Amino acid sequence: MARIGLLTGGGDCPGLNPVIRGIVRKGIDTYGHEIFGFRKGWKGVLDNDAIELTRESTSGILHRGGTILGTSRTNVYKTENGEARVLASLKERGIDVLIPIGGDDTLGVARKLYAAGFPTVGVPKTIDNDLNATDFTFGFQTAVQIATEAIDRLHSTAESHDRVIVCEVMGRDAGWIAAYSGLAGGADVILVPERPFDVEEVCDHIRNRHTTTGKTFSIVVVAEGATRADGGAAATAADTVDSFGHVRLGGIAFELEQEIEQRTGYECRATVLGHIQRGGSPVAFDRVLGSRFGVAAIDAASNGDFGKMVALHGTAIELVALEDALSEPKLLDDQLFETAQVFFG
Ligand code: F6P
């Protein structure tokens, strides 16, 4: 029996509650642990703000989006005496092992704490699917499903009005959501950060489709982090950066709306899906993956497998070193993009 702490950090993500439920169910029923959930990510650890999680308090949350613990983008290492405060909170509350559930930023803090001597086990989370050492993160399939449904809806209105619609999706510096939803939704062009685009080539695909297939509408899916081949940074929605140094991406769809309309003469509209992609119930895949990750994380915490992260490899859940997950982002697979390209134009 041990006292386990957990937290959810970074952007929220469908599937976080299934992870929490998995940790609590197996942690209490099998190992007899006491489980504490810190509120609002690392902020809760800094402030020693936690609640005890029980079977009762985590019942009925499997299908719920977001996180019952709340989240924040607090960077312990940008906070004065951050590491010392975190270690003091964990000691005061008698936490033996900490399970941070998050993306590269949250897990980066977990890795540093582990290096400082505190036992941690990471659970990878992001709708962007850009974490290395795991085939998928939970939340990604839900985001793709939401974006695909949006693209289906955009088809009928684009067709009715003979328009080109540019649909901007999330993903930060990776094109996973764009490539998957664009392929699933039958996009006519997909633009991703990994392949800087030439706007004239985009227009050529659209002109080609309109002149050779008789179609009078097109759908362009663009990742928020897509950049131009002739240089320049991705479009940003704000001048500020968060505590991990990330800019807020967004707005490329509006630039493309203007440029495609001017160059082709086709009427054009932009739609930015934004946080809709992160909200609401997780799809079944993410509920299952979240539950499996939660159970594997509490097993690792109970077996002394510290400094590790749970990961999906094929169909198996395995443990990898936290640093393997964080060495570099997992960018879009070339083969997938090349398949998507078959359907351009
Ligand atoms: O990392 C998840 C993500 O949704 C990215 O796709 C997006 O760029 C970012 O978070 C948005 O962050 P925020 O919720 O802080 O606006």
Side-chain angles (χ1 to χ4, degrees):
M1 185 221 150
R3 198 172 260 209
I4 309 289
L6 60 92
L7 65 97
T8 53
D12 72 341
C13 181
L16 283 167
N17 288 326
V19 178
I20 296 170
R21 177 174 170 270
I23 293 172
V24 171
R25 280 293 275 271
K26 185 145 192 199
I28 292 174
D29 291 358
T30 305
Y31 298 109
H33 295 324
E34 286 175 333
I35 319 264
F36 283 83
F38 288 94
R39 287 199 181 92
K40 302 277 173 201
W42 290 110
K43 183 175 183 308
V45 193
L46 285 164
D47 298 343
N48 200 355
D49 176 14
I51 44 167
E52 184 164 3
L53 296 172
T54 62
R55 276 187 68 132
E56 294 69 39
S57 67
T58 55
S59 149
I61 64 170
L62 176 64
H63 64 288
R64 280 171 56 188
T67 157
I68 59 164
L69 292 173
T71 186
S72 70
R73 295 194 192 275
T74 308
N75 187 344
V76 171
Y77 291 91
K78 284 280 166 62
T79 308
E80 212 180 326
N81 297 324
E83 185 180 285
R85 277 176 61 191
V86 161
L87 293 173
S89 293
L90 294 169
K91 190 170 174 207
E92 201 177 307
R93 205 169 271 279
I95 301 294
D96 300 302
V97 186
L98 186 65
I99 306 181
I101 310 164
D104 51 350
D105 298 330
T106 303
L107 297 181
V109 174
R111 180 181 53 174
K112 286 184 182 159
L113 276 183
Y114 175 66
F118 198 87
T120 57
V121 174
V123 177
K125 164 247 60 161
T126 169
I127 63 163
D128 303 336
N129 198 39
D130 61 349
L131 263 174
N132 240 318
T134 182
D135 290 352
F136 285 108
T137 46
F138 61 84
F140 170 65
Q141 300 290 351
T142 303
V144 167
Q145 188 63 33
I146 294 167
T148 303
E149 283 163 18
I151 295 164
D152 286 350
R153 288 175 184 277
L154 292 174
H155 265 89
S156 63
T157 176
E159 185 166 18
S160 304
H161 286 267
D162 301 330
R163 283 174 174 159
V164 175
I165 295 191
V166 182
C167 177
E168 181 177 310
V169 298
M170 282 185 167
R172 202 156 256 163
D173 299 318
W176 291 101
I177 299 177
Y180 264 77
S181 63
L183 189 51
D188 305 300
V189 181
I190 303 170
L191 305 175
V192 295
E194 293 85 346
R195 307 267 179 133
F197 66 87
D198 177 297
V199 74
E200 195 49 34
E201 230 175 78
V202 173
C203 292
D204 279 344
H205 282 307
I206 296 169
R207 286 189 201 103
N208 179 56
R209 171 175 152 87
H210 289 222
T211 52
T212 63
T213 69
K215 298 284 186 188
T216 56
F217 71 99
S218 289
I219 304 288
V220 176
V221 172
V222 60
E224 61 180 2
T227 57
R228 294 160 195 274
D230 56 9
T236 52
D239 297 334
T240 49
V241 292
D242 69 17
S243 70
F244 289 93
H246 302 298
V247 290
R248 232 171 88 197
L249 296 172
I252 183 71
F254 294 108
E255 293 179 16
L256 285 170
E257 176 195 71
Q258 302 285 318
E259 287 176 63
I260 295 172
E261 185 164 307
Q262 273 160 18
R263 286 172 190 250
T264 63
Y266 303 136
E267 196 182 10
C268 204
R269 291 287 188 273
T271 295
V272 178
L273 296 187
H275 293 81
I276 287 173
Q277 292 159 99
R278 282 204 337 230
S281 246
V283 296
F285 181 92
D286 289 334
R287 296 182 199 190
V288 172
L289 185 59
S291 301
R292 294 181 76 196
F293 275 177
V295 166
I298 196 70
D299 283 342
S302 309
N303 295 335
D305 281 321
F306 307 135
K308 305 263 175 68
M309 179 188 91
V310 297
L312 179 71
H313 291 158
T315 55
I317 305 290
E318 295 177 349
L319 292 175
V320 295
L322 268 173
E323 42 213 51
D324 291 350
L326 299 169
S327 51
E328 55 191 22
K330 184 181 70 187
L331 298 180
L332 187 60
D333 162 4
D334 284 341
Q335 200 187 33
L336 178 74
F337 192 74
E338 277 147 29
T339 301
Q341 272 180 316
V342 170
F343 304 97
F344 284 12

